């Protein structure tokens, strides 16, 4: 059991680590040769150039010693940019993401003040633990005296916790309500003011039914000419081009190596570079590296041409799906938000993601297989979550005095040293858990990709939801409940459902010290390490030294990636859960959480302004999920408090808590009904306003040219390929247009085909006299 002294040692280690990271960053960021790493976003926007230097040394090292005196000026600079400018600079997704940290401060600063003013004195002035030490030989620390453990059974003091639980719930709901209103308003304003984008006019239609008379392209054209005759504009088919994409990727990799060897030879022409053809160049025949890569590129180029021809001529390579574009935003909104046919499983429409948000590989997955895939991943995630408890429990057992003495008794004399013991009890458990979760986000993202989501934003949202559930089960519940996973499962199966909160509630106060150490490791030192960006810094300099040959190569080398919603948001939600659960139980934890939210807000504001380059823009579509998870944490905290008071035999006061989860869920349903539609649907009124304004400002705008190839697969655009890879691009663009119909009966075609020019004899003259422009 960790004491205040152990917590002090842990705090000292983590504060020192965080200060070292922040100091290292403050010094490294002002060095000229690191400028592209710590200000990469400005370079990618073309708003910053390399620092000028007059000598070789000054090219790498900042010799202006006055700048070292202002090495902390990045902090006020990170807070200086106003939110509207931040939205313009980094997008709404990033700006709203920062508001999650502000919500943490808005919620927990007043709660901490109330808890330390009211609850802590109630805990500290009681003498239950002192009496237990005298008569029952129970061990306790000063930390326990600050928790609910110091309140005896059937005490009238529990009314304080009930009143505070109501106060904390009402304050949290008030903050969430205001934030939901603000974010919903920001989203609508952002959509209204946003410049023209292809996804505003485009829907993705899936499960196009097969037809023996017509191709998928003809089917799509005729269906939308019939059902959306005044608004349908054009469409782009979806191809299974995954193999072709792999070949293009392989060629780019070979081209990079060829450029590397040619650069190496140009620097020293005394000897041609050689390589071995075996695995990783460790064995195999020794060949001329330049000639070898030229020949390999030629082979892959031939394979690319063959595969492109195969895809263009193979009907099986065309998926029963298409991106359908409309003449107006209003027409796209109607199509995306309505049922298209009598059979609700056919002609399924949804808003198309913006082109840079699309995860092209998953578009080739048949729609009918998605349910099976998600069922498989659901089962796999259950077993991953459950069996992950076993290694976590093992690591946690080793990260304790008792566990180490049991597994390695010969270390007992060393770990009994006072300082070593404080480090083990106050620091080691948190760092052990942190290290054990390093690879989890990658695993969860792979699982989300297998499920078949078609956009990067939806992939990240699904991975984030699973990461949050995993944190709740393993990090929160798994760390609270002692024993192995199988023992936990057995104990739960033997209990009734209403006993589970009681079982967990009694263990919560005892684990406060563990979560405090975890917050300091993950939320203090971890966040400070985030701004140092040690891994991107090393990778950039390695790539810059060995591979960079052009400005485009340098941009690729310094690309820092995006914010990482799938990892950052679940981490924030864990702190919301811990703060709400321990607010009435052990308020000592709250100041540590407040430090996390404050430091993280400062760090990520700097990163969003200067570093991260967001891959997509969803206009804060993730906000309902964020709101829902905070509500879930609030309900969990209420249920666990009820279970804890039940163990304290506070039978008279506990029933007064029953209303809290009911009121919280009712509040959530109100918010869902009031605001969520703004994040799921696009108001037709807004769409019509934007269309009307656009027609007034640009009466001669040709939308068809703008949208024709907006959703053409990137590998068919040939932007990054050589000339020989561009063969057939015109062919692909031509195939996006409509071919004459082969349908035996044309009763469903209300206007002339775009190619055949014929009209349908079964239609009224008034319709035929108004052909498609």
């Amino acid at each position: 059991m960790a004491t205040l002294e152990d917590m002090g040692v842990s705090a000292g280690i983590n504060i020192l680590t965080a200060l070292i990271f922040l100091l290292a960053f403050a010094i490294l960021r002002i060095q000229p040769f690191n400028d592209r790493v710590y200000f990469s976003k400005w370079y990618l926007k073309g708003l910053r150039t390399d620092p000028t230097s007059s000598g070789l040394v000054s090219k790498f090292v900042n010799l202006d010693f006055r700048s070292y005196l202002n090495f902390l000026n990045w902090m006020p600079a990170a807070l200086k940019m106003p939110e509207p400018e931040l939205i313009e600079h980094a997008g709404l997704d990033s700006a709203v993401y920062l508001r999650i940290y502000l919500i943490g401060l808005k919620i927990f600063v007043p709660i901490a003040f109330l808890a330390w003013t009211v609850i802590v004195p109630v805990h500290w002035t009681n003498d239950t633990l002192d009496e237990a030490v005298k008569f029952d030989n129970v061990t306790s620390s000063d930390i326990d005296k600050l928790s609910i453990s110091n309140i005896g059974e059937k005490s009238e003091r529990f009314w304080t916790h009930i009143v505070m639980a109501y106060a904390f719930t009402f304050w949290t709901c008030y903050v969430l309500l205001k934030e939901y209103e603000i974010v919903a308003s920001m989203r609508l304003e952002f959509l209204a003011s946003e410049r023209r984008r292809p996804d505003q006019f485009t829907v993705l239609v899936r499960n196009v039914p097969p037809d023996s008379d017509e191709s998928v392209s003809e089917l799509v054209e005729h269906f939308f000419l019939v059902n959306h005759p005044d608004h349908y504009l054009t469409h782009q088919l979806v191809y299974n081009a995954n193999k072709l994409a792999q070949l293009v990727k392989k060629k780019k990799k070979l081209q990079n190596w060829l450029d590397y060897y040619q650069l190496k030879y140009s620097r020293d022409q005394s000897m041609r570079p050689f390589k071995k053809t075996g695995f990783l160049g460790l064995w195999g025949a020794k060949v001329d590296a330049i000639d070898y890569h030229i020949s390999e590129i030629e082979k892959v180029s031939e394979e690319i041409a063959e595969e492109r021809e195969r895809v263009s001529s193979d009907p099986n390579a065309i998926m029963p799906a298409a991106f359908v574009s409309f003449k107006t935003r209003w027409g796209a909104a109607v199509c995306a938000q309505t049922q298209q046919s009598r059979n609700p499983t056919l002609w399924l429409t949804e808003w198309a993601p913006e082109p840079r948000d699309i995860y092209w590989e998953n578009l080739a997955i048949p729609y009918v297989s998605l349910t099976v895939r998600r069922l498989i991943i659901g089962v796999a995630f259950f077993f991953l979550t459950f069996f992950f408890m076993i290694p976590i429990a093992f690591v946690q057992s080793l990260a304790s005095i008792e566990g180490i003495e049991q597994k390695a008794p010969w270390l007992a004399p060393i770990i009994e040293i006072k300082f070593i013991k404080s480090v083990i009890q106050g620091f080691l458990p948190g760092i052990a858990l942190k290290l054990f979760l390093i690879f989890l986000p990658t695993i969860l993202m792979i699982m989300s990709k297998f499920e078949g989501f078609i956009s990067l934003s939806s992939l990240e949202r699904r991975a984030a939801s699973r990461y949050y559930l995993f944190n709740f089960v393993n990090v929160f519940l798994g760390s609270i409940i002692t024993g192995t996973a199988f023992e936990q499962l057995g104990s739960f199966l033997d209990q009734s459902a209403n006993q589970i909160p009681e079982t967990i509630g009694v263990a919560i106060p005892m684990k406060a010290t563990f979560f405090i150490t975890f917050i300091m490791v993950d939320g203090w030192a971890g966040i400070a390490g985030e701004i140092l960006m040690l891994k991107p810094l090393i990778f950039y300099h390695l790539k810059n030294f060995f591979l960079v040959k052009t400005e485009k190569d340098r941009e690729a080398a310094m690309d820092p990636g995006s914010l990482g919603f799938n990892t950052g948001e679940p981490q924030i939600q864990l702190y919301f859960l811990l703060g709400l659960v321990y607010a009435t139980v052990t308020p000592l934890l709250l100041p540590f959480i407040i430090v996390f939210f404050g430091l993280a807000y400062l760090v990520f504001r700097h990163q969003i302004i200067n570093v991260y380059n967001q891959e997509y823009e969803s206009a804060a579509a993730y906000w309902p999920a964020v709101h829902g998870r905070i509500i879930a944490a609030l309900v969990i905290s209420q249920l666990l408090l009820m279970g804890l008071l039940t163990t304290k035999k506070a039978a008279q006061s506990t029933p007064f808590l029953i209303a809290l989860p009911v009121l919280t869920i009712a509040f959530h349903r109100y918010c869902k009904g009031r605001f969520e539609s703004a994040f799921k649907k696009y108001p037709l009124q807004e769409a019509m306003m934007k269309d009307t304004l656009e027609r007034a400002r640009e009466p001669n705008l040709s939308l068809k040219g703008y949208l024709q190839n907006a959703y053409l697969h990137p590998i068919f655009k040939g932007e990054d390929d050589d000339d020989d890879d561009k063969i057939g691009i015109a062919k692909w663009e031509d195939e996006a247009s409509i071919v004459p119909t082969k349908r035996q009966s044309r009763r469903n075609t209300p206007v002339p085909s775009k190619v055949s020019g014929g009209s349908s004899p079964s239609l009224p003259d008034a319709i035929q006299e108004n052909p498609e422009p």
Side-chain angles (χ1 to χ4, degrees), residues 610-731:
N610 298 302
V611 180
Y612 291 130
N613 187 33
Q614 194 66 12
E615 295 180 90
Y616 59 84
E617 178 58 63
S618 70
Y622 56 78
W623 186 258
V626 173
H627 174 89
R629 285 195 271 271
I630 298 177
I631 290 291
L634 190 58
V635 173
I636 290 168
S637 69
Q638 295 160 355
L639 294 176
L640 295 182
L641 180 60
M642 291 170 59
L644 180 57
L645 292 184
T646 301
T647 64
K648 294 288 189 176
K649 300 180 181 179
Q652 294 181 345
S653 56
T654 303
F656 287 90
L657 287 173
I658 296 176
L660 273 182
V662 177
L663 293 174
T664 305
I665 293 172
F667 166 76
H668 176 58
R669 291 181 63 86
Y670 167 77
C671 290
K672 190 178 180 70
R674 173 66 179 83
F675 301 111
E676 189 172 347
S677 62
F679 297 85
K680 302 293 184 182
K681 300 176 182 178
Y682 187 40
L684 295 181
Q685 182 183 25
E686 296 288 335
M688 182 60 75
M689 287 174 59
K690 291 205 73 170
D691 289 333
T692 304
L693 287 173
E694 189 171 72
R695 283 194 296 267
R697 292 171 179 170
E698 302 177 72
N700 298 321
L701 174 66
S702 175
L703 268 179
K704 187 171 183 179
Y706 174 69
L707 297 170
Q708 182 72 44
N709 294 318
Y711 286 92
L712 187 67
H713 198 295
I715 64 170
F716 298 136
K717 294 181 179 179
E719 294 175 353
D720 298 322
D721 296 338
D722 295 333
D723 292 338
D724 58 337
D725 287 337
K726 296 181 182 179
I727 298 174
I729 291 176
K731 177 181 178 181

Side-chain angles (χ1 to χ4, degrees), residues 216-228:
V216 174
S217 182
E218 293 166 332
L219 273 171
V220 171
E221 178 199 27
H222 294 157
F223 181 87
F224 285 96
L225 283 176
V226 168
N227 297 287
H228 301 269

Side-chain angles (χ1 to χ4, degrees), residues 329-436:
R329 297 172 180 84
W330 190 92
V334 170
C335 181
Q337 297 165 180
T338 54
Q339 182 173 314
Q340 301 303 308
S341 67
R342 293 179 180 178
N343 187 341
T345 64
L346 300 177
W347 297 101
L348 303 177
T349 55
E350 60 183 288
W351 278 110
E354 61 170 324
R356 60 177 180 163
D357 189 20
I358 295 176
Y359 188 70
W360 293 96
E361 289 84 346
N362 281 357
L363 282 175
I365 299 175
Y367 185 83
V368 293
S369 70
L370 294 181
T371 302
V372 177
R373 283 171 168 261
R374 290 171 189 178
L375 177 62
I376 293 172
I377 291 300
V379 175
F381 178 70
F382 169 79
F383 284 104
L384 172 68
T385 303
F386 176 70
F387 285 104
F388 219 85
M389 290 183 181
I390 300 174
I392 284 181
F394 175 73
V395 170
Q396 291 297 324
S397 68
L398 292 180
S400 64
I401 297 295
E402 296 79 7
I404 295 176
E405 289 181 344
Q406 183 179 359
K407 301 295 182 181
W410 52 275
L411 289 175
I414 300 176
I415 62 178
E416 287 297 335
I417 300 174
K418 193 172 183 179
F419 177 76
I420 300 297
K421 187 175 182 179
S422 295
V423 170
I424 292 174
Q425 294 191 141
F427 179 74
L428 191 57
I431 194 67
L433 181 59
K434 174 71 175 176
L435 293 174
F436 216 79

